[in-house]
Amino acid sequence: MNFDLPEETREMCDMVVRFASRDLQTSDTFDADDFRRRWQLAGKQGIVGASVPSAYGGSGLDAVATAAVMEALGYGCRDTGFAFSAAAHLFAAVMPIVEFGTEEQKHRLLPGLSSGEHIAAHCVTEPEAGSNALQLQTRATRSGEHYLLNGSKCFTTNAPVADVFVVQAATTPGGGFFGLTTFLVAAGTPGLTVGQRYDKLGLRGSPMADVYFDQCAVPVTDVLDGEGSGAGIFATSMRWERTCLFAAYLGAMKRVLDSTIDHVRQREQFGTPIGGFQSVSHRVVDMMARHESARLMLYKAAQGLADGRDDEIGPALAKIMVSEAAVQLGLDAVQLRGALGVLGGEAETLLRDAVPSRILSGTNEIQKNNAARALGLGSRAAARR
Ligand SMILES: Cc1cc2nc3c(=O)[nH]c(=O)nc-3n(C[C@H](O)[C@H](O)[C@H](O)COP(=O)(O)OP(=O)(O)OC[C@H]3O[C@@H](n4cnc5c(N)ncnc54)[C@H](O)[C@@H]3O)c2cc1C
């Protein structure tokens, strides 16, 4: 086994780190115009369309190289919210079009979504359907050559800035796995409205809002992969998200780990650098071990994705390991900075950004349910997300 990324991928990642550290920095307060400006720059670098085939304007990378780009983005860009938004766009909204779209849909939508011109959002979660994502209340009813969408979505990443919404709705209420259908809805379609942007604990650079549908007419040509295939599309996109999106967290963790090592080398107490105290140095080694083991699991899952393996467990485990390691690494980095750790700065930011990672993309409890189900354990009726 060779654990090194190919030379060409490493060079690309170095470029992404340099670009992100130079051009993607921002303040902690969200500014929609600045977000769009940085998005366009990231588009020019091939980041927001990394895994889109080059025939449709993307960078044509496989899942391993895409994970590496996301890791580099997370390392270079101190605004993990921005990296998260780019990843949510690519894996939850754009990859479903790549994998399930018609040629007409792909040629119409993917070039703009890859170049940085357009931003996508993925709407599945609803006030009464979070972990239980098959029980959607949003209805899509066929009316001639359109479907009429009615219902509310919540916690939609990128909604305040999105140009395209990839929406899951029930076409057969109570129809379980085959009851959902995916729709491609352009911003500005009559009947689609976006709520106020939320303030969040972490990922503050990633805009999020609720989305409402009121008799929103979507042409049948904007159904993705036919009626009843929504849950399958959703499950496939979540494998990308639970693998490649979380690579951005690995990059952020490594950046904070590096600066923590610098800090414990430089900060002196009792006449010596604090890194000389065993409890400090052991904490640093524990941080490194957590980061490294989560990273290995994530790249193993990415290789499975690149090989087209039908594996539910690998992405679920990678998601759990990276998110839990990110929270613990954030806590450790704060602790090792003393009072400085709670006064802002990248350790405090990582901790705030890490907490939602245990919830988004299906909570870690639901990932354990998914993995247990794949092992043939647990209730047949257990929630799937
Ligand atoms: C930063 C962020 C970005 C997001 N972006 C998007 C987005 O772009 N699009 C989108 O559609 N959604 C998005 N979400 C929503 C996210 O997918 C949901 O928050 C998540 O699926 C959990 O649903 P919930 O919040 O309703 O929690 P609930 O389902 O109410 O869960 C609450 C608690 O109960 C536990 N629980 C529930 N059911 C079970 C069970 N069967 N077994 C064990 N434990 C259980 C959960 O693990 C959790 O701890 C985002 C969320 C966050 C935090």
Side-chain angles (χ1 to χ4, degrees), residues 201-229:
L201 167 75
L203 300 174
R204 291 179 181 167
S206 171
M208 175 201 265
D210 295 344
V211 182
Y212 307 100
F213 299 93
D214 180 10
Q215 295 289 85
C216 177
V218 181
V220 289
T221 47
D222 285 340
V223 170
L224 200 56
D225 198 34
E227 192 173 311
S229 57

mmCIF file of all heavy atoms in Angstrom, residues 201-229:
data_model
loop_
_atom_site.group_PDB
_atom_site.id
_atom_site.type_symbol
_atom_site.label_atom_id
_atom_site.label_comp_id
_atom_site.label_asym_id
_atom_site.label_seq_id
_atom_site.Cartn_x
_atom_site.Cartn_y
_atom_site.Cartn_z
ATOM 1 N N LEU A 201 -23.495 28.999 15.778
ATOM 2 C CA LEU A 201 -22.345 28.821 16.674
ATOM 3 C C LEU A 201 -21.042 28.804 15.872
ATOM 4 O O LEU A 201 -20.063 29.462 16.219
ATOM 5 C CB LEU A 201 -22.516 27.484 17.416
ATOM 6 C CG LEU A 201 -21.304 26.937 18.167
ATOM 7 C CD1 LEU A 201 -21.078 27.708 19.449
ATOM 8 C CD2 LEU A 201 -21.475 25.452 18.459
ATOM 9 N N GLY A 202 -21.035 28.010 14.820
ATOM 10 C CA GLY A 202 -19.822 27.869 14.003
ATOM 11 C C GLY A 202 -20.155 27.930 12.536
ATOM 12 O O GLY A 202 -21.306 28.154 12.154
ATOM 13 N N LEU A 203 -19.144 27.745 11.693
ATOM 14 C CA LEU A 203 -19.313 27.828 10.239
ATOM 15 C C LEU A 203 -20.030 29.120 9.867
ATOM 16 O O LEU A 203 -20.940 29.136 9.033
ATOM 17 C CB LEU A 203 -20.083 26.597 9.712
ATOM 18 C CG LEU A 203 -19.435 25.232 9.956
ATOM 19 C CD1 LEU A 203 -20.353 24.094 9.537
ATOM 20 C CD2 LEU A 203 -18.096 25.113 9.228
ATOM 21 N N ARG A 204 -19.621 30.205 10.524
ATOM 22 C CA ARG A 204 -20.339 31.469 10.341
ATOM 23 C C ARG A 204 -20.175 32.051 8.951
ATOM 24 O O ARG A 204 -20.973 32.870 8.512
ATOM 25 C CB ARG A 204 -19.874 32.483 11.388
ATOM 26 C CG ARG A 204 -20.330 32.098 12.775
ATOM 27 C CD ARG A 204 -19.855 33.092 13.809
ATOM 28 N NE ARG A 204 -20.281 32.693 15.128
ATOM 29 C CZ ARG A 204 -19.821 33.223 16.246
ATOM 30 N NH1 ARG A 204 -18.896 34.180 16.191
ATOM 31 N NH2 ARG A 204 -20.253 32.816 17.412
ATOM 32 N N GLY A 205 -19.114 31.633 8.261
ATOM 33 C CA GLY A 205 -18.904 32.116 6.890
ATOM 34 C C GLY A 205 -19.758 31.379 5.882
ATOM 35 O O GLY A 205 -19.691 31.672 4.686
ATOM 36 N N SER A 206 -20.551 30.413 6.339
ATOM 37 C CA SER A 206 -21.426 29.646 5.443
ATOM 38 C C SER A 206 -22.862 30.101 5.669
ATOM 39 O O SER A 206 -23.437 29.854 6.730
ATOM 40 C CB SER A 206 -21.293 28.151 5.762
ATOM 41 O OG SER A 206 -22.270 27.420 5.065
ATOM 42 N N PRO A 207 -23.475 30.760 4.665
ATOM 43 C CA PRO A 207 -24.825 31.284 4.892
ATOM 44 C C PRO A 207 -25.869 30.163 4.874
ATOM 45 O O PRO A 207 -25.790 29.253 4.052
ATOM 46 C CB PRO A 207 -25.027 32.228 3.711
ATOM 47 C CG PRO A 207 -24.150 31.698 2.631
ATOM 48 C CD PRO A 207 -22.966 31.064 3.313
ATOM 49 N N MET A 208 -26.842 30.247 5.780
ATOM 50 C CA MET A 208 -27.867 29.196 5.891
ATOM 51 C C MET A 208 -29.219 29.850 6.133
ATOM 52 O O MET A 208 -29.295 30.861 6.842
ATOM 53 C CB MET A 208 -27.508 28.296 7.066
ATOM 54 C CG MET A 208 -28.529 27.236 7.394
ATOM 55 S SD MET A 208 -28.319 26.671 9.080
ATOM 56 C CE MET A 208 -27.319 25.246 8.856
ATOM 57 N N ALA A 209 -30.274 29.298 5.552
ATOM 58 C CA ALA A 209 -31.617 29.848 5.757
ATOM 59 C C ALA A 209 -32.650 28.760 5.487
ATOM 60 O O ALA A 209 -32.324 27.675 4.987
ATOM 61 C CB ALA A 209 -31.853 31.034 4.822
ATOM 62 N N ASP A 210 -33.914 29.082 5.803
ATOM 63 C CA ASP A 210 -35.033 28.207 5.449
ATOM 64 C C ASP A 210 -35.471 28.549 4.029
ATOM 65 O O ASP A 210 -35.209 29.656 3.530
ATOM 66 C CB ASP A 210 -36.204 28.429 6.413
ATOM 67 C CG ASP A 210 -35.847 28.016 7.843
ATOM 68 O OD1 ASP A 210 -34.845 27.307 8.019
ATOM 69 O OD2 ASP A 210 -36.576 28.416 8.765
ATOM 70 N N VAL A 211 -36.145 27.609 3.396
ATOM 71 C CA VAL A 211 -36.644 27.814 2.027
ATOM 72 C C VAL A 211 -38.098 27.370 2.001
ATOM 73 O O VAL A 211 -38.443 26.318 2.558
ATOM 74 C CB VAL A 211 -35.816 26.982 1.011
ATOM 75 C CG1 VAL A 211 -36.286 27.233 -0.417
ATOM 76 C CG2 VAL A 211 -34.323 27.308 1.123
ATOM 77 N N TYR A 212 -38.949 28.200 1.378
ATOM 78 C CA TYR A 212 -40.391 27.915 1.364
ATOM 79 C C TYR A 212 -40.880 27.737 -0.071
ATOM 80 O O TYR A 212 -40.459 28.474 -0.980
ATOM 81 C CB TYR A 212 -41.160 29.075 2.012
ATOM 82 C CG TYR A 212 -40.632 29.421 3.378
ATOM 83 C CD1 TYR A 212 -39.778 30.515 3.549
ATOM 84 C CD2 TYR A 212 -40.958 28.648 4.487
ATOM 85 C CE1 TYR A 212 -39.262 30.822 4.806
ATOM 86 C CE2 TYR A 212 -40.453 28.951 5.741
ATOM 87 C CZ TYR A 212 -39.604 30.042 5.898
ATOM 88 O OH TYR A 212 -39.087 30.342 7.129
ATOM 89 N N PHE A 213 -41.784 26.795 -0.251
ATOM 90 C CA PHE A 213 -42.386 26.549 -1.572
ATOM 91 C C PHE A 213 -43.892 26.705 -1.451
ATOM 92 O O PHE A 213 -44.521 26.066 -0.603
ATOM 93 C CB PHE A 213 -42.039 25.131 -2.052
ATOM 94 C CG PHE A 213 -40.561 24.924 -2.214
ATOM 95 C CD1 PHE A 213 -39.798 24.392 -1.180
ATOM 96 C CD2 PHE A 213 -39.913 25.290 -3.384
ATOM 97 C CE1 PHE A 213 -38.431 24.228 -1.308
ATOM 98 C CE2 PHE A 213 -38.545 25.123 -3.530
ATOM 99 C CZ PHE A 213 -37.797 24.595 -2.483
ATOM 100 N N ASP A 214 -44.449 27.572 -2.288
ATOM 101 C CA ASP A 214 -45.897 27.806 -2.280
ATOM 102 C C ASP A 214 -46.389 27.754 -3.732
ATOM 103 O O ASP A 214 -46.175 28.704 -4.485
ATOM 104 C CB ASP A 214 -46.170 29.176 -1.637
ATOM 105 C CG ASP A 214 -47.656 29.491 -1.588
ATOM 106 O OD1 ASP A 214 -48.467 28.585 -1.864
ATOM 107 O OD2 ASP A 214 -48.000 30.656 -1.301
ATOM 108 N N GLN A 215 -46.979 26.642 -4.101
ATOM 109 C CA GLN A 215 -47.440 26.439 -5.484
ATOM 110 C C GLN A 215 -46.310 26.758 -6.470
ATOM 111 O O GLN A 215 -46.533 27.423 -7.482
ATOM 112 C CB GLN A 215 -48.673 27.307 -5.778
ATOM 113 C CG GLN A 215 -49.914 26.943 -4.981
ATOM 114 C CD GLN A 215 -50.523 25.616 -5.422
ATOM 115 O OE1 GLN A 215 -50.108 24.550 -4.965
ATOM 116 N NE2 GLN A 215 -51.494 25.650 -6.311
ATOM 117 N N CYS A 216 -45.123 26.302 -6.145
ATOM 118 C CA CYS A 216 -43.944 26.581 -6.979
ATOM 119 C C CYS A 216 -43.931 25.581 -8.152
ATOM 120 O O CYS A 216 -43.771 24.372 -7.941
ATOM 121 C CB CYS A 216 -42.692 26.442 -6.108
ATOM 122 S SG CYS A 216 -41.167 26.685 -7.008
ATOM 123 N N ALA A 217 -44.116 26.106 -9.372
ATOM 124 C CA ALA A 217 -44.252 25.228 -10.547
ATOM 125 C C ALA A 217 -42.873 24.910 -11.140
ATOM 126 O O ALA A 217 -42.145 25.812 -11.553
ATOM 127 C CB ALA A 217 -45.133 25.902 -11.595
ATOM 128 N N VAL A 218 -42.544 23.610 -11.163
ATOM 129 C CA VAL A 218 -41.250 23.163 -11.698
ATOM 130 C C VAL A 218 -41.537 22.278 -12.916
ATOM 131 O O VAL A 218 -42.297 21.308 -12.816
ATOM 132 C CB VAL A 218 -40.476 22.351 -10.629
ATOM 133 C CG1 VAL A 218 -39.125 21.905 -11.164
ATOM 134 C CG2 VAL A 218 -40.306 23.171 -9.356
ATOM 135 N N PRO A 219 -40.942 22.608 -14.080
ATOM 136 C CA PRO A 219 -41.207 21.796 -15.271
ATOM 137 C C PRO A 219 -40.774 20.338 -15.088
ATOM 138 O O PRO A 219 -39.784 20.080 -14.381
ATOM 139 C CB PRO A 219 -40.349 22.458 -16.369
ATOM 140 C CG PRO A 219 -39.852 23.730 -15.796
ATOM 141 C CD PRO A 219 -40.001 23.699 -14.316
ATOM 142 N N VAL A 220 -41.479 19.420 -15.710
ATOM 143 C CA VAL A 220 -41.112 17.995 -15.586
ATOM 144 C C VAL A 220 -39.693 17.754 -16.106
ATOM 145 O O VAL A 220 -39.020 16.817 -15.671
ATOM 146 C CB VAL A 220 -42.108 17.063 -16.333
ATOM 147 C CG1 VAL A 220 -43.438 17.013 -15.631
ATOM 148 C CG2 VAL A 220 -42.274 17.468 -17.770
ATOM 149 N N THR A 221 -39.221 18.629 -16.976
ATOM 150 C CA THR A 221 -37.846 18.470 -17.486
ATOM 151 C C THR A 221 -36.804 18.769 -16.405
ATOM 152 O O THR A 221 -35.618 18.516 -16.593
ATOM 153 C CB THR A 221 -37.599 19.421 -18.674
ATOM 154 O OG1 THR A 221 -38.072 20.722 -18.306
ATOM 155 C CG2 THR A 221 -38.313 18.963 -19.931
ATOM 156 N N ASP A 222 -37.235 19.326 -15.268
ATOM 157 C CA ASP A 222 -36.301 19.608 -14.177
ATOM 158 C C ASP A 222 -36.415 18.612 -13.024
ATOM 159 O O ASP A 222 -35.954 18.867 -11.911
ATOM 160 C CB ASP A 222 -36.471 21.045 -13.682
ATOM 161 C CG ASP A 222 -35.850 22.026 -14.674
ATOM 162 O OD1 ASP A 222 -34.991 21.592 -15.481
ATOM 163 O OD2 ASP A 222 -36.227 23.204 -14.673
ATOM 164 N N VAL A 223 -37.009 17.465 -13.317
ATOM 165 C CA VAL A 223 -36.949 16.339 -12.368
ATOM 166 C C VAL A 223 -35.621 15.632 -12.613
ATOM 167 O O VAL A 223 -35.208 15.456 -13.758
ATOM 168 C CB VAL A 223 -38.130 15.364 -12.616
ATOM 169 C CG1 VAL A 223 -37.940 14.079 -11.823
ATOM 170 C CG2 VAL A 223 -39.443 16.039 -12.247
ATOM 171 N N LEU A 224 -34.964 15.237 -11.520
ATOM 172 C CA LEU A 224 -33.682 14.535 -11.663
ATOM 173 C C LEU A 224 -33.945 13.025 -11.618
ATOM 174 O O LEU A 224 -34.484 12.515 -10.626
ATOM 175 C CB LEU A 224 -32.763 14.979 -10.519
ATOM 176 C CG LEU A 224 -31.258 14.773 -10.666
ATOM 177 C CD1 LEU A 224 -30.709 15.428 -11.925
ATOM 178 C CD2 LEU A 224 -30.532 15.317 -9.433
ATOM 179 N N ASP A 225 -33.623 12.354 -12.697
ATOM 180 C CA ASP A 225 -33.668 10.881 -12.765
ATOM 181 C C ASP A 225 -35.052 10.274 -12.554
ATOM 182 O O ASP A 225 -35.156 9.142 -12.094
ATOM 183 C CB ASP A 225 -32.692 10.292 -11.726
ATOM 184 C CG ASP A 225 -32.366 8.837 -12.039
ATOM 185 O OD1 ASP A 225 -32.310 8.490 -13.234
ATOM 186 O OD2 ASP A 225 -32.189 8.057 -11.089
ATOM 187 N N GLY A 226 -36.087 11.004 -12.819
ATOM 188 C CA GLY A 226 -37.425 10.410 -12.800
ATOM 189 C C GLY A 226 -38.056 10.365 -11.427
ATOM 190 O O GLY A 226 -37.385 10.422 -10.401
ATOM 191 N N GLU A 227 -39.390 10.264 -11.450
ATOM 192 C CA GLU A 227 -40.156 10.253 -10.195
ATOM 193 C C GLU A 227 -39.811 9.010 -9.364
ATOM 194 O O GLU A 227 -39.675 7.920 -9.911
ATOM 195 C CB GLU A 227 -41.657 10.278 -10.550
ATOM 196 C CG GLU A 227 -42.524 10.570 -9.361
ATOM 197 C CD GLU A 227 -43.997 10.764 -9.733
ATOM 198 O OE1 GLU A 227 -44.304 11.534 -10.664
ATOM 199 O OE2 GLU A 227 -44.825 10.138 -9.068
ATOM 200 N N GLY A 228 -39.648 9.230 -8.061
ATOM 201 C CA GLY A 228 -39.433 8.095 -7.150
ATOM 202 C C GLY A 228 -37.979 7.743 -6.887
ATOM 203 O O GLY A 228 -37.697 6.847 -6.096
ATOM 204 N N SER A 229 -37.054 8.466 -7.531
ATOM 205 C CA SER A 229 -35.641 8.097 -7.338
ATOM 206 C C SER A 229 -34.911 9.028 -6.359
ATOM 207 O O SER A 229 -33.689 8.958 -6.234
ATOM 208 C CB SER A 229 -34.912 8.066 -8.680
ATOM 209 O OG SER A 229 -35.043 9.309 -9.309
#
